[in-house]
Amino acid sequence: MTCTVFSCQEKDKSELVWEASFPVIGSQSSPRTVDLNRDGVLDVVMGAGKNEFEHSDYGILAINGDNGELLWNASTVDQVYGSATFHDVNKDGIPDIFIGGRGPHLKGIDGQTGDLIWEYDSSNYLDHPILKHARFNFNNSVLVPDQNGNGIPELLISNGGNARAAPFETVGRYPGVLMVIDALSGRILAADSMPDGKETYMSPLLLDKVGNNETMVVFGTGGETISGSLFIAKLKDLMNNDLSNARVLVTEQNNGFIAPPVLADLDRDGILDIVAISHASTITAFSGKSFEVLWQQQISGTESSNSLAVGQFTADNIPDLFTFVSKGVWPENTGSIQVLIDGKTGALINKKELGCTGFSSPIAYDLNKDGRDEVIFSINEYDCDRAIDDKSAFLIENKLLLMDFKSGEIHILDQSKGFKNIFSTPWLGDLDGDGYLDLIHCQYFSHTDILSFLGMKIKRIDLPITIRNKPDWGAFMGSEGNGIYPK
């Protein structure tokens, strides 16, 4: 008998285990999971907040994965759109939380209590030649090997992007800053501005032990209307506060690199390769050994701030890429196109047009055990010609979809009228260790403009699908949050 995604399962159907609702606030963050209360069930951590430039007591949320109750919340001066990085720095046996956002906001938080361990204060660096620019947005961090000998990994993170700078205007644009921060104390160990002097919105990645065993960092510059480049540099150069020798991998005119790239071995030489998508929807794969271009694909007439999901979507054993791009020109995008890219050749092999503009990213897993991964992603259905800053009332429906490339089927996993999801990537894994997949996803109340925060809900859905292996790409930037596809 041939199994589809939801047949041949021991459970009959999906079950909503809990729904946590929060008035007033919203989020551009994506959930990540860790056991904070030692009950054996992973808990949910994510950033949140009120509308931009507003203080909130609920800027960071820790939610009990078993019942949806709030474990703790932390206040922030602005929206926390980053996703959490976890590491136990205070040695109490529970991972601590590092998460960034606007303001600038960057905090180390005790995972058990929600108490502050340290926070970044930009006022300490007003006269610093480099760090004086690090007063805008903190993007996602990744862990790098211990650099100061205290036995604890450091944080690699970028800061940049002035939200008050108008689209297409060059006034008020400041160089982004890449830095390495001591996760224990919050002390900045090294920093330098972007080599091209441009702003940055990209979360950097660590490319470890390539070629001659040199640890590298991958980062990008530019924005929705500002030209930028993708760079690679030696970690030791950054530790010397000098990115001047960074190599330009690719440059995009009138658009930059916003979404974090991914790392996967596409040419099967045993070394992770780099795949990045620019805001102009140019997808480029680079050899992790030589940094030369393996292939390039451009989705004309579109833009993208969405990262890529990596998975086995075709019949060969080479990882493939899936994402969605927006039709039109930001901020007047008019629809969403889902694209599947062959990891071996870069060929566009599947294309759909579902929903309107959204900037969340997809996840992937072989749900029906047919040897190929399916993708899960969020779409919003409304009048796609509606201006993004239109604040009049309108009808909207958010849907969480599952796409099976082998069968061509599309399934609705969840849907809510009057709700949207513009930025949050879902999470997939076994939350409670019962052998079945759990799905965490977020929806945001909406009746006026797309970007306003008006209240949110976070759902845990128990899927009737047994888990064989932990998903490789079950969250934003992969299941480990480091952009690496591990196979």
Side-chain angles (χ1 to χ4, degrees):
M1 180 175 64
T2 301
C3 293
T4 62
V5 173
F6 292 108
S7 68
C8 305
Q9 304 293 342
E10 296 178 19
K11 293 185 180 181
D12 293 331
K13 60 182 180 179
S14 300
E15 176 188 0
L16 178 64
V17 179
W18 51 256
E19 179 178 297
S21 296
F22 299 90
V24 181
I25 66 171
S27 180
Q28 298 178 359
S29 176
S30 296
R32 288 187 177 156
T33 60
V34 65
D35 188 1
L36 298 177
N37 56 4
R38 295 178 176 171
D39 66 352
V41 179
L42 296 174
D43 305 305
V44 179
V45 178
M46 64 184 297
K50 294 183 179 180
N51 289 308
E52 200 163 0
F53 311 121
E54 293 182 359
H55 173 275
S56 175
D57 290 333
Y58 295 86
I60 305 167
L61 307 173
I63 298 165
N64 189 318
D66 183 53
N67 56 27
E69 295 180 358
L70 194 64
L71 292 174
W72 52 258
N73 55 281
S75 64
T76 57
V77 298
D78 206 335
Q79 298 170 348
V80 177
Y81 66 81
S83 295
T85 297
F86 302 119
H87 191 77
D88 181 12
V89 297
N90 59 14
K91 305 300 183 181
D92 65 354
I94 296 176
D96 302 303
I97 295 159
F98 307 92
I99 190 167
R102 308 185 194 279
H105 165 90
L106 180 62
K107 289 182 178 179
I109 297 174
D110 185 301
Q112 182 176 21
T113 65
D115 294 338
L116 181 69
I117 299 175
W118 56 261
E119 66 179 321
Y120 177 84
D121 185 352
S122 60
S123 66
N124 291 332
Y125 308 105
L126 297 179
D127 297 323
H128 192 281
I130 299 299
L131 295 176
K132 66 181 181 181
H133 299 301
R135 61 185 190 276
F136 298 108
N137 308 311
F138 275 105
N139 302 304
N140 290 351
S141 64
V142 294
L143 296 175
V144 301
D146 178 24
Q147 299 294 307
N148 62 356
N150 66 358
I152 295 174
E154 323 300 352
L155 302 174
L156 174 69
I157 196 167
S158 62
N159 180 284
N162 181 7
R164 298 184 188 276
F168 303 101
E169 291 290 338
T170 57
V171 177
R173 307 283 177 176
Y174 298 93
V177 178
L178 187 64
M179 59 183 76
V180 175
I181 298 177
D182 177 15
L184 177 62
S185 66
R187 184 169 67 91
I188 298 172
L189 302 180
D192 198 11
S193 56
M194 296 293 110
D196 58 0
K198 299 291 183 66
E199 61 191 7
T200 187
Y201 298 94
M202 177 184 284
S203 301
L205 298 184
L206 187 76
L207 184 58
D208 201 12
K209 298 186 184 304
V210 298
N212 59 357
N213 292 333
E214 190 78 67
T215 301
M216 312 292 286
V217 292
V218 182
F219 57 99
T221 64
E224 291 95 344
T225 61
I226 301 296
S227 301
S229 299
L230 185 73
F231 292 89
I232 189 162
K234 296 177 181 179
L235 175 60
K236 67 180 182 182
D237 286 347
L238 175 57
M239 293 308 300
N240 288 325
N241 306 300
D242 185 5
L243 291 174
S244 61
N245 290 323
R247 175 172 173 171
V248 176
L249 295 178
V250 64
T251 296
E252 191 80 66
Q253 296 298 320
N254 303 315
N255 291 269
F257 290 81
I258 295 175
V262 299
L263 305 175
D265 186 3
L266 302 184
D267 55 13
R268 286 311 191 213
D269 64 353
I271 297 174
L272 291 171
D273 304 307
I274 306 162
V275 188
I277 182 168
S278 74
H279 187 257
S281 300
T282 303
I283 307 171
T284 312
F286 306 90
S287 165
K289 184 176 183 179
S290 67
F291 307 131
E292 299 298 327
V293 174
L294 297 175
W295 51 255
Q296 189 172 78
Q297 173 68 253
Q298 211 277 330
I299 315 299
S300 61
T302 71
E303 297 179 341
S304 181
S305 297
N306 312 66
S307 192
L308 303 153
V310 188
Q312 298 289 344
F313 303 131
T314 57
D316 61 29
N317 67 343
I318 296 174
D320 307 297
L321 298 311
F322 176 84
T323 192
F324 38 105
V325 296
S326 299
K327 294 191 290 186
V329 177
W330 185 88
E332 301 298 336
N333 297 120
T334 58
S336 184
I337 303 173
Q338 293 74 34
V339 293
L340 175 62
I341 306 295
D342 187 293
K344 181 178 181 179
T345 65
L348 175 61
I349 55 177
N350 192 296
K351 182 178 179 181
K352 300 284 186 184
E353 294 192 22
L354 301 169
C356 300
T357 298
F359 306 112
S360 61
S361 298
I363 57 176
Y365 190 71
D366 183 6
L367 295 144
N368 59 1
K369 305 175 178 65
D370 66 352
R372 297 194 195 179
D373 290 328
E374 291 76 47
V375 291
I376 295 174
F377 58 97
S378 178
I379 67 166
N380 302 293
E381 293 187 339
Y382 60 96
D383 177 8
C384 293
D385 291 322
R386 175 187 178 86
I388 198 168
D389 58 352
D390 185 347
K391 297 185 182 297
S392 62
F394 73 111
L395 299 175
I396 189 170
E397 182 173 20
N398 176 252
K399 293 181 179 180
L400 190 67
L401 301 183
L402 182 152
M403 185 179 292
D404 184 339
F405 299 114
K406 191 171 183 179
S407 70
E409 296 176 343
I410 297 175
H411 301 272
I412 299 175
L413 298 179
D414 190 46
Q415 57 187 340
S416 292
K417 292 184 177 180
F419 284 83
K420 63 191 175 187
N421 175 24
I422 306 300
F423 296 98
S424 296
T425 296
W427 179 93
L428 182 73
D430 187 359
L431 209 67
D432 54 6
D434 69 348
Y436 285 87
L437 285 168
D438 297 290
L439 185 64
I440 303 292
H441 87 110
C442 308
Q443 294 174 318
Y444 306 93
F445 179 66
S446 183
H447 67 86
T448 55
D449 66 300
I450 292 297
L451 299 181
S452 288
F453 288 0
L454 302 167
M456 62 182 284
K457 57 184 179 181
I458 305 170
K459 296 180 178 180
R460 173 186 167 186
I461 299 173
D462 187 10
L463 297 176
I465 298 172
T466 55
I467 183 171
R468 291 176 300 163
N469 302 304
K470 179 181 177 180
D472 292 322
W473 214 265
F476 181 57
M477 295 178 65
S479 294
E480 299 302 321
N482 58 9
I484 295 176
Y485 183 75
K487 294 182 179 179

